[in-house]
Amino acid sequence: MYMIAVAVNGFGTIGKRVADAVSMQDDMKIVGVVKTRPTFEARMAIACGYPLYANNAENMQVFRDAGLKVEGVLEDMIKKADIVIDCTPGKFGVLNKPVYESHKVKAIFQGGEKSGTADVSFNAQGNYSESIGKDYVRVVSCNTTGLCRTLSAVEKKFGVAKVRATLIRRGPDPGNSKKGPVNAIVPNPPTVPSHHGPDVNTIFPNMNIMTSAVIVPTTLMHLHTVIVELKDHATTEEIKELFKNTPRVILVKAGEGFTSTAEIMEYARDTGRKRSDLNEIAVWDESINVIGKELFYTQAVHQESDVVPENIDCIRAMMGTITDPKESIMKTDKALGLKKWW
Ligand code: NAD
């Protein structure tokens, strides 16, 4: 089987997870990762067997001075790749796009980029087919991915007339000591809608959705409280059954000890997955309630890892190797050990 040659530009929170997820698939391989500095993550990339590249010639010498084996610069890596996953910090991807264009290589951007950076935005369960054969695609952010996962299931089965959601966002990621509120709740963005509702519209253009968001002093997860006005009648039990059978969504019960995001992350650690990731969106069973035409639920999003399987599916869609979203989702999830498919 031909192995799709995948390069990762930016080996940080998302990049290192995407690189590992690519290596776990049987139809793609990592041909290189780019770092800017000889940090512990650069050493880890080499230890994982990923060819290491510098973002420019100047930094290549910095790596060599630090004793790290570096194979070349970004452009050298691109020449070996069918597709580049740009995991550089938000707003950097758009600056890299001319490099990808000049080398005629396909590229996936992340949620920190504006939607206009790519031809189309991507969510596997939402709009997989729109990315088939495309050259530049953006995998939507962790929060938007979380909203799209559950809303796409509800939309397909019962229809969505209107969504109102409040997003309680983590401050920084656990490995980041530089930012985040210490003792405050920050409306962020302060405007309503927050950027998340319009971002969901890049996947579901006709969905009536308004979002607002605040940032709180936690590093673990985001939490969403969602209210959906349904088009068709549904019962609470039907929605529970729907989420139970939706890929990359799990139901957790407060009654079984999932009283907060802390216990959800403890569960993730107990599963033994690398970095204690939880690629699935966790919906609290007790929060699901249908009153009249309104559906209420609360969900938690592991911001560092929910977009990782999406990047894998996006590679297959853009390369055109699998055109059926279900087939790709199942293949990705089996390889990553997401239990719903076992
Ligand atoms: P990060 O800061 O953890 O990692 C970025 C990596 O890129 C770092 O290793 C950094 O050294 C490297 N880098 C910086 N400048 C570079 C350059 N010019 N060339 C190559 N590499 C460079 O950032 P992240 O959290 O992984 O975010 C990456 C993207 O993913 C952003 O668009 C972000 O919005 C998006 N995203 C982040 C999260 C999250 O919670 N962390 C979730 C979903 C999507």
Side-chain angles (χ1 to χ4, degrees), residues 9-15 34-37 41 55 87-90 92 110-113 141-142 170 173 303-304 307:
N9 186 15
F11 194 72
T13 307
I14 301 301
V34 166
K35 280 295 288 179
T36 51
R37 294 187 316 277
E41 283 171 326
N55 62 317
C87 298
T88 57
F92 276 66
Q110 305 303 313
E113 302 305 317
S141 75
C142 47
R170 62 94 176 88
D173 287 329
Q303 75 280 356
E304 296 172 284
V307 298

Side-chain angles (χ1 to χ4, degrees), residues 8-17 34-37 39 41 53-56 74 86-93 95-96 100 109-113 139-143 145 170 172-173 176 222 302-307 311:
V8 175
N9 186 15
F11 194 72
T13 307
I14 301 301
K16 60 190 175 188
R17 288 172 165 83
V34 166
K35 280 295 288 179
T36 51
R37 294 187 316 277
T39 59
E41 283 171 326
Y53 291 81
N55 62 317
N56 59 36
L74 171 65
D86 189 299
C87 298
T88 57
K91 317 282 183 291
F92 276 66
L95 305 177
N96 295 326
Y100 307 143
F109 300 95
Q110 305 303 313
E113 302 305 317
V139 169
V140 292
S141 75
C142 47
N143 276 304
T145 295
R170 62 94 176 88
D173 287 329
N176 183 340
H222 302 298
H302 186 225
Q303 75 280 356
E304 296 172 284
S305 69
D306 69 326
V307 298
N311 274 274

Side-chain angles (χ1 to χ4, degrees), residues 34-81:
V34 166
K35 280 295 288 179
T36 51
R37 294 187 316 277
T39 59
F40 71 93
E41 283 171 326
R43 289 189 190 282
M44 200 177 68
I46 293 174
C48 289
Y50 303 142
L52 180 67
Y53 291 81
N55 62 317
N56 59 36
E58 200 181 317
N59 284 339
M60 193 160 76
Q61 194 52 47
V62 177
F63 280 105
R64 287 185 173 149
D65 291 346
L68 269 78
K69 184 169 182 279
V70 57
E71 311 289 335
V73 293
L74 171 65
E75 287 79 356
D76 300 319
M77 179 182 77
I78 288 175
K79 285 179 196 151
K80 296 187 183 328

Side-chain angles (χ1 to χ4, degrees), residues 7-258:
V8 175
N9 186 15
F11 194 72
T13 307
I14 301 301
K16 60 190 175 188
R17 288 172 165 83
V18 169
D20 287 351
V22 166
S23 321
M24 292 165 82
Q25 312 299 315
D26 65 6
D27 56 345
M28 54 188 78
K29 63 179 179 187
I30 289 291
V31 294
V33 304
V34 166
K35 280 295 288 179
T36 51
R37 294 187 316 277
T39 59
F40 71 93
E41 283 171 326
R43 289 189 190 282
M44 200 177 68
I46 293 174
C48 289
Y50 303 142
L52 180 67
Y53 291 81
N55 62 317
N56 59 36
E58 200 181 317
N59 284 339
M60 193 160 76
Q61 194 52 47
V62 177
F63 280 105
R64 287 185 173 149
D65 291 346
L68 269 78
K69 184 169 182 279
V70 57
E71 311 289 335
V73 293
L74 171 65
E75 287 79 356
D76 300 319
M77 179 182 77
I78 288 175
K79 285 179 196 151
K80 296 187 183 328
D82 295 316
I83 187 163
V84 180
I85 319 296
D86 189 299
C87 298
T88 57
K91 317 282 183 291
F92 276 66
V94 67
L95 305 177
N96 295 326
K97 192 175 176 189
V99 184
Y100 307 143
E101 285 172 328
S102 69
H103 285 80
K104 298 192 173 13
V105 68
K106 290 175 185 274
I108 296 178
F109 300 95
Q110 305 303 313
E113 302 305 317
K114 291 214 163 95
S115 59
T117 306
D119 306 328
V120 62
S121 292
F122 180 87
N123 171 260
Q125 281 141 288
N127 68 343
Y128 185 102
S129 55
E130 285 177 35
S131 293
I132 293 171
K134 288 280 191 301
D135 288 334
Y136 302 107
V137 177
R138 181 184 71 120
V139 169
V140 292
S141 75
C142 47
N143 276 304
T144 306
T145 295
L147 288 168
C148 289
R149 285 244 180 99
T150 44
L151 289 174
S152 66
V154 177
E155 165 69 10
K156 275 175 205 151
K157 182 102 194 202
F158 299 105
V160 168
K162 196 161 85 179
V163 182
R164 301 292 178 255
T166 303
L167 283 62
I168 296 142
R169 306 169 65 191
R170 62 94 176 88
D173 287 329
N176 183 340
S177 59
K178 294 190 189 128
K179 64 171 191 179
V182 174
N183 184 19
I185 299 171
V186 186
N188 186 292
T191 49
V192 177
S194 65
H195 52 274
H196 308 94
D199 207 24
V200 168
N201 288 139
T202 66
I203 304 294
F204 301 108
N206 300 321
M207 193 171 277
N208 176 343
I209 177 166
M210 286 291 280
T211 52
S212 60
V214 297
I215 294 181
V216 297
T218 180
T219 62
L220 294 179
M221 301 184 94
H222 302 298
L223 186 144
H224 301 163
T225 62
V226 187
I227 305 172
V228 182
E229 190 182 309
L230 301 168
K231 282 188 180 155
D232 297 336
H233 180 265
T235 65
T236 299
E237 280 315 310
E238 282 174 324
I239 298 290
K240 287 186 182 182
E241 203 53 33
L242 176 67
F243 285 159
K244 213 183 280 177
N245 294 313
T246 300
R248 300 178 187 167
V249 173
I250 56 169
L251 288 188
V252 295
K253 287 188 178 168
E256 289 183 3
F258 289 106

